Amino acid sequence: MTVSSNNDGEEALTPRQFLKRYSLPRCAQVVPSCGDVSLLGQKVLLYKYYRTNRVEAALEDNDGGTLVIPQVYDGWFSVVTERGQIKAKCYTIIQRLISSQISSFLTIADLIAYTLNDRNSIGKKQHYCKITIKGGQVLKLLAVYEDVGNNSPTKKSTSSNLDNHRYAQCLTQSDQVIYVPISTTGQFYATACNRRDDSVQKVYQLTRLLKTFPLPVRVCIVNGCKAQGSMVLEMYKTEEVILACCLGREKKLLEIDINSKFLIVDDQIKTTDHDIKSALQYTRLNWDSWRGQPKIAHYIYKKTHQKEKSYSDALPNSNVDISKCIVELPYVEVKDSIEEAVYAEITS
């Protein structure tokens, strides 16, 4: 592709050409030569180049928009029926998890548990402290214990049916042993089971989901008993991107596919030191967590690739035919709470 020049005589380069010529981080300006998109004509700090593995998902309740989900996203998914019904089974009490032989489960909301107070001297009566386990954690079920009246859970008695004195011994993600009353209610989803079970009744993080179900597959992000933000995972891709930050009073992060066809010019000298330092500080503080979140994709040009590769056809080390014309604009956030449906929004 032949480079062009803007009115100031600066060479206008594609993102890939710019990356070959200049080191990052560096300030640049997008040439407003085509399209009606706010990014065009705007100054940006091109901060960092990296490869990213991601899945493109078609949103079913957002006018057919495309959601880009990084493989490192740590949220949980359930398979969804064509009618939008969530397939993962929601357990509402710890006792049901035990009777269903669930070996590990996801907690949606906070729950109260107990842990042994190690500050007691050896030989003294054991004492257990009440603690709060934050929602969103995976707990591993180890055993069931019974409180026999000495304020410490002891191994389960087969003759006891008093649920309010029985506890599920669990292991947290930080390897802390806790005891949860088996009468505890809430919203719990199985992540593993001791018996052969229907795989669609569990919840999955993205990597395991892609290994379990062939694409395309209809899913939702799990945040309650009802399906939230139903979408169809369509294609797995590996892309080369530049992380950028829009300069100005309101900082916005975005990822630019280096194969995009729009043009940018070097603007390092014309950008004030204050703007550069401000953008650098904002990006350093936020980029690591930001890049792991789902985002709405925006296409300046019409997409040219065909959505025909499955996960097995497009593993990270394969030669994937990636889009030649994508740029992802900033997003506000993806809601992931019990009360609100998942949504994503472009800010421009």
Side-chain angles (χ1 to χ4, degrees):
M1 178 177 178
T2 303
V3 298
S4 59
S5 301
N6 65 356
N7 294 333
D8 296 328
E10 297 286 351
E11 283 188 320
L13 309 171
T14 65
R16 182 176 287 278
Q17 291 170 335
F18 191 93
L19 192 62
K20 289 181 178 180
R21 180 169 299 188
Y22 301 103
S23 60
L24 303 183
R26 194 173 188 87
C27 288
Q29 183 172 8
V30 181
V31 178
S33 58
C34 61
D36 184 19
V37 180
S38 64
L39 178 63
L40 298 174
Q42 188 167 349
K43 290 184 178 182
V44 293
L45 171 70
L46 303 179
Y47 179 73
K48 185 181 182 70
Y49 159 84
Y50 52 85
R51 289 178 178 268
T52 178
N53 301 321
R54 54 181 60 179
V55 175
E56 285 192 0
L59 294 172
E60 298 188 324
D61 55 359
N62 193 37
D63 299 324
T66 299
L67 187 67
V68 177
I69 308 174
Q71 189 170 350
V72 295
Y73 173 57
D74 61 3
W76 293 83
F77 296 85
S78 168
V79 174
V80 175
T81 68
E82 292 185 0
R83 294 184 179 182
Q85 297 175 322
I86 185 170
K87 293 290 291 182
K89 184 176 180 179
C90 181
Y91 296 84
T92 57
I93 187 169
I94 296 294
Q95 172 62 59
R96 294 295 301 275
L97 291 168
I98 297 170
S99 59
S100 298
Q101 301 180 45
I102 304 302
S103 58
S104 63
F105 60 96
L106 171 70
T107 63
I108 297 299
D110 297 354
L111 58 81
I112 300 299
Y114 298 87
T115 185
L116 182 64
N117 186 354
D118 294 329
R119 291 177 296 179
N120 286 301
S121 301
I122 297 176
K124 291 186 177 181
K125 185 169 65 175
Q126 291 180 319
H127 177 70
Y128 289 80
C129 300
K130 182 185 291 187
I131 60 173
T132 299
I133 302 299
K134 293 295 185 181
Q137 290 198 50
V138 173
L139 302 181
K140 183 177 181 180
L141 272 170
L142 301 178
V144 177
Y145 283 74
E146 180 186 349
D147 181 359
V148 295
N150 62 350
N151 297 321
S152 62
T154 57
K155 194 65 176 179
K156 173 187 173 183
S157 170
T158 57
S159 61
S160 176
N161 293 316
L162 300 177
D163 287 351
N164 58 333
H165 295 295
R166 296 166 65 198
Y167 299 82
Q169 184 193 47
C170 301
L171 189 67
T172 68
Q173 294 173 195
S174 59
D175 292 332
Q176 181 183 18
V177 176
I178 62 172
Y179 297 87
V180 183
I182 67 170
S183 58
T184 299
T185 59
Q187 294 174 315
F188 314 109
Y189 290 92
T191 61
C193 187
N194 289 325
R195 57 178 174 77
R196 296 180 62 88
D197 65 319
D198 186 354
S199 60
V200 300
Q201 292 190 353
K202 295 187 295 187
V203 293
Y204 299 85
Q205 289 186 307
L206 189 57
T207 298
R208 176 60 61 180
L209 178 74
L210 296 174
K211 292 180 179 179
T212 306
F213 301 97
L215 299 182
V217 59
R218 182 176 283 102
V219 300
C220 71
I221 295 176
V222 171
N223 55 20
C225 293
K226 296 181 180 179
Q228 306 288 338
S230 179
M231 66 190 78
V232 177
L233 304 185
E234 296 184 325
M235 179 171 51
Y236 179 92
K237 301 170 60 177
T238 298
E239 290 185 329
E240 298 175 271
V241 299
I242 300 174
L243 176 77
C245 177
C246 295
L247 274 63
R249 182 174 300 177
E250 183 181 359
K251 301 293 187 294
K252 304 172 185 177
L253 297 178
L254 60 140
E255 288 176 337
I256 298 174
D257 184 345
I258 68 170
N259 293 306
S260 299
K261 297 303 183 183
F262 65 87
L263 303 176
I264 52 180
V265 296
D266 179 40
D267 203 69
Q268 183 77 11
I269 297 178
K270 299 177 184 178
T271 306
T272 66
D273 289 341
H274 172 75
D275 286 342
I276 295 175
K277 291 179 180 179
S278 178
L280 280 171
Q281 182 180 20
Y282 180 85
T283 306
R284 286 168 180 163
L285 289 174
N286 296 282
W287 81 276
D288 192 44
S289 60
W290 179 88
R291 69 171 180 162
Q293 297 301 312
K295 309 165 189 70
I296 288 287
H298 183 89
Y299 299 89
I300 289 182
Y301 303 102
K302 184 178 179 181
K303 292 171 66 176
T304 59
H305 65 272
Q306 299 295 322
K307 294 183 177 180
E308 59 185 14
K309 288 184 177 292
S310 67
Y311 176 72
S312 60
D313 295 328
L315 292 174
N317 294 327
S318 65
N319 185 17
V320 182
D321 181 17
I322 62 179
S323 170
K324 305 300 183 183
C325 53
I326 178 175
V327 58
E328 294 168 19
L329 288 181
Y331 73 103
V332 175
E333 61 184 330
V334 176
K335 292 289 184 181
D336 191 5
S337 62
I338 296 175
E339 295 82 8
E340 298 182 78
V342 174
Y343 78 94
E345 181 181 356
I346 298 175
T347 58
S348 59

